[in-house]
Amino acid sequence: MSVPVAFNDIGKSAKDLLTKDYPVGGVKLEVKTTAPNGVTFKVNGQRDNKTGIIVGDIETKYADRKSGLTFTEAWTTSNHLNGKVELENNLAKGLKLELLTSLLPSVNEKAAKINATYKKPNFHTVATLDVFKTNFNVNTVFGQQGFLTGAEVAYNVLDGKVGRYNFAVGYTAPEYGVAVQATNSLSNYSASYYHRVNSDLEASGKASWDAKGSNAVALEVGAKLKLDESAFVKAKISNSGVLGLAYTQSLRPGVKVNLGASVDTTRFNENAHKLGIAFTLEN
């Protein structure tokens, strides 16, 4: 018996194939290094091609595997000070506790969340408390022989009202997976699939509909082709005519470059297309 995925990860394989590795609209750089004692340092930077604005953050992380304790600190270019403390498999097997904090000193804006995750065979639940906004969120997934059923509820403690509720079902097999989700209090519906055709080719598709909007259904399909051990290409297209293309190449161990493009096929002669590039350096 295996532990099912978290509620937010139902349909993740299809989502990742359609959204990841498309660095359009800017230039991104990620540098990650690890010290001999296990402390990791990560620097992220991104420049928007349209506005020229550069944003980034620097992050340090230390994990003590024996105690299950992890500390993460980050400082962003918007002067946000973020911290996270994790304690996993310490108080009980399968239980993970997290404290996430954020501080913006210039306006004394504070935020804090407490997460509790409990996992065991056929069961996965996550509870989150927003300390200052007094919002409580809980989601649970039950799994059996590849079948997944999950639900999520958000509750405002002060107002005494349910803020939103979501539902999802799915099925996962070694070569494929399907998922149906109803989010935003059952007003947004989506269905997705992922298929590993062979060791080199993967395909995915997603259809979504907003019950509060128009009757139109948004459709998107994509594929990933492995060229060799160090490179792959991806492509996707939506029924709105937007074509996405991506190429990822590992230049050497720890050095990766990722090129992306978004082409509006209905507006070829207009300035509606986007290009992007991302560099990843890791020791």
Side-chain angles (χ1 to χ4, degrees):
M1 294 185 294
S2 60
V3 176
V5 298
F7 180 81
N8 292 332
D9 289 337
I10 295 178
K12 185 177 185 296
S13 297
K15 180 181 177 181
D16 286 351
L17 196 148
L18 293 172
T19 59
K20 291 184 68 174
D21 305 309
Y22 288 97
V24 297
V27 179
K28 300 179 182 179
L29 174 65
E30 179 181 307
V31 180
K32 184 178 180 181
T33 58
T34 303
N37 63 354
V39 177
T40 60
F41 302 91
K42 186 167 67 173
V43 179
N44 291 296
Q46 179 177 348
R47 180 187 184 275
D48 187 275
N49 287 343
K50 186 176 181 179
T51 64
I53 295 175
I54 299 176
V55 297
D57 64 81
I58 181 170
E59 177 185 289
T60 60
K61 183 176 183 179
Y62 172 73
D64 185 349
R65 295 183 178 179
K66 291 184 178 180
S67 64
L69 195 60
T70 303
F71 297 94
T72 306
E73 306 86 26
W75 191 12
T76 73
T77 52
S78 60
N79 202 25
H80 276 91
L81 301 173
N82 301 321
K84 180 164 69 170
V85 181
E86 303 169 71
L87 183 63
E88 186 170 11
N89 291 326
N90 185 293
L91 302 178
K93 184 179 180 181
L95 177 64
K96 179 180 180 180
L97 301 176
E98 295 177 308
L99 172 63
L100 297 90
T101 61
S102 179
L103 173 65
L104 183 58
S106 59
V107 295
N108 197 29
E109 182 179 288
K110 303 175 184 178
K113 289 184 178 181
I114 299 174
N115 294 335
T117 302
Y118 182 64
K119 298 182 290 185
K120 68 176 186 178
N122 302 330
F123 180 80
H124 193 154
T125 188
V126 180
T128 301
L129 173 64
D130 191 316
V131 177
F132 295 110
K133 295 182 179 180
T134 63
N135 290 326
F136 180 72
N137 182 88
V138 61
N139 62 65
T140 301
V141 176
F142 297 96
Q144 184 71 36
Q145 297 181 344
F147 290 95
L148 302 171
T149 302
E152 179 180 48
V153 176
Y155 181 77
N156 188 294
V157 179
L158 291 181
D159 295 339
K161 296 180 180 179
V162 174
R164 70 175 187 279
Y165 45 91
N166 307 316
F167 180 75
V169 294
Y171 178 76
T172 302
E175 298 84 13
Y176 69 93
V178 294
V180 177
Q181 296 164 301
T183 59
N184 195 23
S185 300
L186 308 186
S187 64
N188 292 338
Y189 299 88
S190 65
S192 62
Y193 81 91
Y194 167 83
H195 183 201
R196 181 179 290 277
V197 181
N198 54 49
S199 59
D200 296 329
L201 181 62
E202 302 169 49
S204 162
K206 180 179 180 180
S208 56
W209 174 62
D210 185 357
K212 295 182 179 179
S214 65
N215 290 324
V217 175
L219 180 64
E220 189 174 30
V221 294
K224 174 182 177 181
L225 176 63
K226 182 179 177 182
L227 302 178
D228 54 40
E229 293 300 322
S230 63
F232 64 85
V233 293
K234 297 179 72 173
K236 63 178 180 178
I237 190 167
S238 67
N239 64 327
S240 61
V242 178
L243 172 67
L245 301 169
Y247 172 74
T248 300
Q249 173 74 57
S250 294
L251 303 178
R252 53 176 292 181
V255 180
K256 183 175 70 174
V257 61
N258 180 210
L259 304 171
S262 177
V263 180
D264 191 336
T265 60
T266 65
R267 303 162 63 189
F268 264 123
N269 298 326
E270 300 179 32
N271 186 23
H273 317 301
K274 299 178 182 179
L275 299 173
I277 186 171
F279 297 95
T280 303
L281 309 175
E282 184 175 358
N283 73 334

